[in-house]
Amino acid sequence: MRVAGAAKLVVAVAVFLLTFYVISQVFEIKMDASLGNLFATKPPRYKCGISKACPEKHFAFKMASGAANVVGPKICLEDNVLMSGVKNNVGRGINVALVNGKTGDLIDTRYFDMWGGNVAPFIEFLKAIQDGTIVLMGTYDDGATKLNDEARQLIAELGSTSITHLGFRDNWVFCGGKGIKTKSPFEQHIKNNKDTNKYEGWPEVVEMEGCIPQKQD
């Protein structure tokens, strides 16, 4: 009986020590995690989710073309989403957002169907843009079939280089301005190529971000 009692005591002590060890380890892990959370610094978030902060007197922007004919383009400026599928203001063709170059205020958003639509309204829209206006454009599905030389020239005058050879179902994003004196540095273009397309019949999405200088008086 004494041997059995001693064995039970040894087992009880072992269980106690094991329980104490496990609890202490868990507590230590939780303490380490708590201290880690306490002292960890979250990476800073910049406007529109861009990778770095813009300098003073610049507007932060980020944009993406459409994905095939499924997901529409997205245009963000100064942390405000100007156009997107969620806002239900995008469509097949070329999507355009006009922004006041001095204040950053939104002037207008439109999309022009360059597959089944007419290029004439797009040309009239481009001609009516006022000097000092920031112009952001992104394609969705097909933005080129109905483009003619006049429309391409008007977009080129906004600072685009790629517009002259934008083709059927190419993906393209562009940010320029009315009255710009040089070619814009903000432009991305991927050709529709069946050998390299990410989606069947369409290239991958193109994205772009940057800081647009504010127009000065």
Side-chain angles (χ1 to χ4, degrees):
M1 292 292 291
R2 289 180 179 178
V3 173
K8 288 182 179 178
L9 179 61
V10 170
V11 171
V13 171
V15 170
F16 172 78
L17 291 175
L18 179 61
T19 303
F20 178 79
Y21 174 77
V22 171
I23 291 173
S24 66
Q25 291 299 306
V26 171
F27 180 75
E28 184 176 351
I29 291 170
K30 288 185 175 179
M31 283 294 292
D32 288 343
S34 297
L35 289 172
N37 291 334
L38 182 63
F39 293 106
T41 56
K42 291 183 178 180
R45 184 195 177 279
Y46 303 114
K47 292 177 179 179
C48 291
I50 66 175
S51 57
K52 61 181 181 180
C54 288
E56 288 188 21
K57 296 183 179 180
H58 284 71
F59 300 122
F61 81 95
K62 188 172 185 177
M63 55 195 304
S65 69
N69 62 347
V70 179
V71 180
K74 184 176 181 179
I75 299 175
C76 176
L77 183 102
E78 286 292 286
D79 242 7
N80 296 313
V81 176
L82 308 182
M83 302 187 76
S84 71
V86 174
K87 292 181 73 71
N88 197 31
N89 63 346
V90 296
R92 180 174 66 182
I94 296 181
N95 294 259
V96 189
L98 302 182
V99 174
N100 186 302
K102 292 182 180 180
T103 65
D105 293 334
L106 179 64
I107 298 171
D108 197 4
T109 61
R110 300 278 189 91
Y111 60 87
F112 298 90
D113 187 351
M114 292 292 101
W115 168 254
N118 188 329
V119 73
F122 187 32
I123 290 173
E124 292 307 309
F125 176 82
L126 293 171
K127 288 180 176 179
I129 298 174
Q130 300 296 308
D131 279 355
T133 300
I134 296 169
V135 184
L136 303 105
M137 297 185 176
T139 56
Y140 181 24
D141 189 0
D142 173 38
T145 296
K146 291 294 181 70
L147 281 180
N148 60 15
D149 290 343
E150 184 179 7
R152 291 177 189 271
Q153 180 58 35
L154 288 168
I155 297 172
E157 290 171 2
L158 299 173
S160 172
T161 301
S162 298
I163 192 62
T164 56
H165 51 273
L166 184 70
F168 172 66
R169 285 185 175 174
D170 289 359
N171 273 342
W172 173 69
V173 287
F174 164 70
C175 175
K178 187 64 176 287
I180 191 170
K181 303 300 183 185
T182 59
K183 291 300 180 182
S184 171
F186 302 123
E187 188 168 29
Q188 295 291 331
H189 176 212
I190 296 183
K191 295 292 290 181
N192 171 22
N193 185 325
K194 64 180 181 180
D195 296 325
T196 58
N197 283 346
K198 182 174 182 179
Y199 311 104
E200 185 177 353
W202 292 269
E204 64 182 296
V205 172
V206 286
E207 297 181 304
M208 181 173 65
E209 64 177 53
C211 304
I212 307 166
Q214 182 180 3
K215 181 175 174 57
Q216 305 299 312
D217 291 328

mmCIF file of all heavy atoms in Angstrom, residues 185-205:
data_model
loop_
_atom_site.group_PDB
_atom_site.id
_atom_site.type_symbol
_atom_site.label_atom_id
_atom_site.label_comp_id
_atom_site.label_asym_id
_atom_site.label_seq_id
_atom_site.Cartn_x
_atom_site.Cartn_y
_atom_site.Cartn_z
ATOM 1 N N PRO A 185 5.228 61.472 -68.028
ATOM 2 C CA PRO A 185 5.974 60.296 -67.558
ATOM 3 C C PRO A 185 5.047 59.203 -67.033
ATOM 4 O O PRO A 185 5.506 58.114 -66.694
ATOM 5 C CB PRO A 185 6.831 60.870 -66.423
ATOM 6 C CG PRO A 185 6.005 62.000 -65.878
ATOM 7 C CD PRO A 185 5.285 62.588 -67.065
ATOM 8 N N PHE A 186 3.744 59.511 -66.946
ATOM 9 C CA PHE A 186 2.795 58.582 -66.333
ATOM 10 C C PHE A 186 1.983 57.850 -67.409
ATOM 11 O O PHE A 186 0.907 58.303 -67.818
ATOM 12 C CB PHE A 186 1.852 59.334 -65.386
ATOM 13 C CG PHE A 186 2.563 60.085 -64.295
ATOM 14 C CD1 PHE A 186 2.366 61.457 -64.141
ATOM 15 C CD2 PHE A 186 3.429 59.448 -63.425
ATOM 16 C CE1 PHE A 186 2.999 62.158 -63.132
ATOM 17 C CE2 PHE A 186 4.083 60.140 -62.417
ATOM 18 C CZ PHE A 186 3.865 61.496 -62.271
ATOM 19 N N GLU A 187 2.518 56.713 -67.851
ATOM 20 C CA GLU A 187 1.825 55.937 -68.870
ATOM 21 C C GLU A 187 2.340 54.502 -68.854
ATOM 22 O O GLU A 187 3.536 54.268 -68.759
ATOM 23 C CB GLU A 187 2.032 56.561 -70.251
ATOM 24 C CG GLU A 187 1.201 55.931 -71.348
ATOM 25 C CD GLU A 187 1.205 56.765 -72.630
ATOM 26 O OE1 GLU A 187 2.221 57.471 -72.884
ATOM 27 O OE2 GLU A 187 0.224 56.721 -73.379
ATOM 28 N N GLN A 188 1.416 53.539 -68.932
ATOM 29 C CA GLN A 188 1.767 52.129 -69.014
ATOM 30 C C GLN A 188 0.914 51.480 -70.099
ATOM 31 O O GLN A 188 -0.283 51.760 -70.209
ATOM 32 C CB GLN A 188 1.540 51.420 -67.673
ATOM 33 C CG GLN A 188 2.429 51.901 -66.539
ATOM 34 C CD GLN A 188 3.887 51.528 -66.728
ATOM 35 O OE1 GLN A 188 4.194 50.515 -67.350
ATOM 36 N NE2 GLN A 188 4.790 52.350 -66.219
ATOM 37 N N HIS A 189 1.525 50.575 -70.860
ATOM 38 C CA HIS A 189 0.845 49.982 -72.019
ATOM 39 C C HIS A 189 1.344 48.555 -72.202
ATOM 40 O O HIS A 189 2.552 48.305 -72.235
ATOM 41 C CB HIS A 189 1.151 50.827 -73.259
ATOM 42 C CG HIS A 189 0.586 50.276 -74.526
ATOM 43 N ND1 HIS A 189 1.204 50.449 -75.751
ATOM 44 C CD2 HIS A 189 -0.534 49.549 -74.786
ATOM 45 C CE1 HIS A 189 0.496 49.864 -76.692
ATOM 46 N NE2 HIS A 189 -0.571 49.309 -76.134
ATOM 47 N N ILE A 190 0.415 47.616 -72.306
ATOM 48 C CA ILE A 190 0.754 46.224 -72.623
ATOM 49 C C ILE A 190 -0.041 45.802 -73.843
ATOM 50 O O ILE A 190 -1.270 45.945 -73.885
ATOM 51 C CB ILE A 190 0.454 45.276 -71.449
ATOM 52 C CG1 ILE A 190 1.335 45.612 -70.244
ATOM 53 C CG2 ILE A 190 0.698 43.823 -71.862
ATOM 54 C CD1 ILE A 190 1.141 44.674 -69.069
ATOM 55 N N LYS A 191 0.678 45.264 -74.827
ATOM 56 C CA LYS A 191 0.038 44.844 -76.064
ATOM 57 C C LYS A 191 -0.741 43.536 -75.878
ATOM 58 O O LYS A 191 -0.375 42.680 -75.078
ATOM 59 C CB LYS A 191 1.094 44.640 -77.158
ATOM 60 C CG LYS A 191 1.833 45.895 -77.582
ATOM 61 C CD LYS A 191 0.939 46.880 -78.297
ATOM 62 C CE LYS A 191 0.515 46.399 -79.661
ATOM 63 N NZ LYS A 191 -0.355 47.397 -80.366
ATOM 64 N N ASN A 192 -1.820 43.427 -76.621
ATOM 65 C CA ASN A 192 -2.577 42.185 -76.704
ATOM 66 C C ASN A 192 -1.792 41.219 -77.590
ATOM 67 O O ASN A 192 -1.629 41.461 -78.786
ATOM 68 C CB ASN A 192 -3.959 42.469 -77.290
ATOM 69 C CG ASN A 192 -4.735 41.209 -77.617
ATOM 70 O OD1 ASN A 192 -4.475 40.146 -77.073
ATOM 71 N ND2 ASN A 192 -5.692 41.337 -78.520
ATOM 72 N N ASN A 193 -1.287 40.144 -76.990
ATOM 73 C CA ASN A 193 -0.477 39.171 -77.722
ATOM 74 C C ASN A 193 -0.849 37.773 -77.245
ATOM 75 O O ASN A 193 -0.678 37.448 -76.069
ATOM 76 C CB ASN A 193 1.009 39.435 -77.469
ATOM 77 C CG ASN A 193 1.929 38.550 -78.290
ATOM 78 O OD1 ASN A 193 1.628 37.396 -78.554
ATOM 79 N ND2 ASN A 193 3.073 39.097 -78.685
ATOM 80 N N LYS A 194 -1.358 36.965 -78.143
ATOM 81 C CA LYS A 194 -1.854 35.641 -77.744
ATOM 82 C C LYS A 194 -0.766 34.768 -77.128
ATOM 83 O O LYS A 194 -1.060 33.846 -76.355
ATOM 84 C CB LYS A 194 -2.474 34.926 -78.946
ATOM 85 C CG LYS A 194 -1.498 34.603 -80.064
ATOM 86 C CD LYS A 194 -2.195 33.886 -81.210
ATOM 87 C CE LYS A 194 -1.214 33.524 -82.331
ATOM 88 N NZ LYS A 194 -1.887 32.817 -83.440
ATOM 89 N N ASP A 195 0.494 35.053 -77.440
ATOM 90 C CA ASP A 195 1.593 34.247 -76.897
ATOM 91 C C ASP A 195 1.970 34.644 -75.474
ATOM 92 O O ASP A 195 2.591 33.863 -74.752
ATOM 93 C CB ASP A 195 2.832 34.368 -77.795
ATOM 94 C CG ASP A 195 2.596 33.799 -79.190
ATOM 95 O OD1 ASP A 195 1.867 32.798 -79.294
ATOM 96 O OD2 ASP A 195 3.140 34.366 -80.162
ATOM 97 N N THR A 196 1.619 35.863 -75.079
ATOM 98 C CA THR A 196 2.009 36.345 -73.750
ATOM 99 C C THR A 196 0.828 36.761 -72.890
ATOM 100 O O THR A 196 1.014 37.110 -71.715
ATOM 101 C CB THR A 196 2.968 37.545 -73.881
ATOM 102 O OG1 THR A 196 2.322 38.585 -74.628
ATOM 103 C CG2 THR A 196 4.251 37.140 -74.594
ATOM 104 N N ASN A 197 -0.389 36.751 -73.423
ATOM 105 C CA ASN A 197 -1.560 37.183 -72.653
ATOM 106 C C ASN A 197 -1.728 36.370 -71.371
ATOM 107 O O ASN A 197 -1.544 35.146 -71.369
ATOM 108 C CB ASN A 197 -2.830 37.044 -73.495
ATOM 109 C CG ASN A 197 -2.973 38.160 -74.506
ATOM 110 O OD1 ASN A 197 -2.282 39.175 -74.436
ATOM 111 N ND2 ASN A 197 -3.870 37.973 -75.459
ATOM 112 N N LYS A 198 -2.120 37.078 -70.307
ATOM 113 C CA LYS A 198 -2.400 36.399 -69.043
ATOM 114 C C LYS A 198 -3.788 35.771 -69.073
ATOM 115 O O LYS A 198 -4.014 34.699 -68.518
ATOM 116 C CB LYS A 198 -2.291 37.398 -67.881
ATOM 117 C CG LYS A 198 -2.509 36.767 -66.517
ATOM 118 C CD LYS A 198 -2.242 37.755 -65.407
ATOM 119 C CE LYS A 198 -2.408 37.093 -64.040
ATOM 120 N NZ LYS A 198 -2.116 38.041 -62.939
ATOM 121 N N TYR A 199 -4.716 36.444 -69.692
ATOM 122 C CA TYR A 199 -6.074 35.934 -69.833
ATOM 123 C C TYR A 199 -6.288 35.547 -71.292
ATOM 124 O O TYR A 199 -5.609 36.055 -72.179
ATOM 125 C CB TYR A 199 -7.091 37.002 -69.420
ATOM 126 C CG TYR A 199 -6.802 37.646 -68.094
ATOM 127 C CD1 TYR A 199 -6.261 38.932 -68.029
ATOM 128 C CD2 TYR A 199 -7.044 36.977 -66.899
ATOM 129 C CE1 TYR A 199 -5.987 39.542 -66.812
ATOM 130 C CE2 TYR A 199 -6.756 37.571 -65.674
ATOM 131 C CZ TYR A 199 -6.229 38.851 -65.645
ATOM 132 O OH TYR A 199 -5.942 39.437 -64.449
ATOM 133 N N GLU A 200 -7.226 34.673 -71.532
ATOM 134 C CA GLU A 200 -7.498 34.260 -72.903
ATOM 135 C C GLU A 200 -8.084 35.432 -73.696
ATOM 136 O O GLU A 200 -9.211 35.853 -73.484
ATOM 137 C CB GLU A 200 -8.479 33.078 -72.923
ATOM 138 C CG GLU A 200 -8.716 32.506 -74.312
ATOM 139 C CD GLU A 200 -9.635 31.301 -74.307
ATOM 140 O OE1 GLU A 200 -9.987 30.829 -73.209
ATOM 141 O OE2 GLU A 200 -10.003 30.844 -75.393
ATOM 142 N N GLY A 201 -7.289 35.984 -74.611
ATOM 143 C CA GLY A 201 -7.747 37.097 -75.432
ATOM 144 C C GLY A 201 -7.401 38.467 -74.903
ATOM 145 O O GLY A 201 -7.654 39.466 -75.579
ATOM 146 N N TRP A 202 -6.818 38.542 -73.685
ATOM 147 C CA TRP A 202 -6.465 39.842 -73.101
ATOM 148 C C TRP A 202 -5.128 39.749 -72.358
ATOM 149 O O TRP A 202 -4.822 38.718 -71.744
ATOM 150 C CB TRP A 202 -7.512 40.311 -72.089
ATOM 151 C CG TRP A 202 -8.834 40.679 -72.634
ATOM 152 C CD1 TRP A 202 -9.260 41.906 -73.052
ATOM 153 C CD2 TRP A 202 -9.955 39.793 -72.824
ATOM 154 N NE1 TRP A 202 -10.560 41.844 -73.473
ATOM 155 C CE2 TRP A 202 -11.023 40.565 -73.349
ATOM 156 C CE3 TRP A 202 -10.168 38.433 -72.591
ATOM 157 C CZ2 TRP A 202 -12.258 40.030 -73.648
ATOM 158 C CZ3 TRP A 202 -11.401 37.881 -72.891
ATOM 159 C CH2 TRP A 202 -12.437 38.679 -73.414
ATOM 160 N N PRO A 203 -4.343 40.826 -72.364
ATOM 161 C CA PRO A 203 -3.110 40.847 -71.568
ATOM 162 C C PRO A 203 -3.418 41.089 -70.096
ATOM 163 O O PRO A 203 -4.571 41.308 -69.713
ATOM 164 C CB PRO A 203 -2.335 42.025 -72.174
ATOM 165 C CG PRO A 203 -3.398 42.946 -72.685
ATOM 166 C CD PRO A 203 -4.531 42.060 -73.147
ATOM 167 N N GLU A 204 -2.378 41.055 -69.282
ATOM 168 C CA GLU A 204 -2.558 41.276 -67.853
ATOM 169 C C GLU A 204 -2.926 42.736 -67.559
ATOM 170 O O GLU A 204 -2.749 43.626 -68.394
ATOM 171 C CB GLU A 204 -1.286 40.914 -67.098
ATOM 172 C CG GLU A 204 -0.087 41.787 -67.439
ATOM 173 C CD GLU A 204 1.160 41.354 -66.697
ATOM 174 O OE1 GLU A 204 1.159 41.442 -65.452
ATOM 175 O OE2 GLU A 204 2.120 40.925 -67.351
ATOM 176 N N VAL A 205 -3.423 42.952 -66.370
ATOM 177 C CA VAL A 205 -3.771 44.301 -65.911
ATOM 178 C C VAL A 205 -2.502 45.149 -65.818
ATOM 179 O O VAL A 205 -1.441 44.664 -65.413
ATOM 180 C CB VAL A 205 -4.452 44.233 -64.528
ATOM 181 C CG1 VAL A 205 -4.637 45.622 -63.936
ATOM 182 C CG2 VAL A 205 -5.773 43.495 -64.629
#
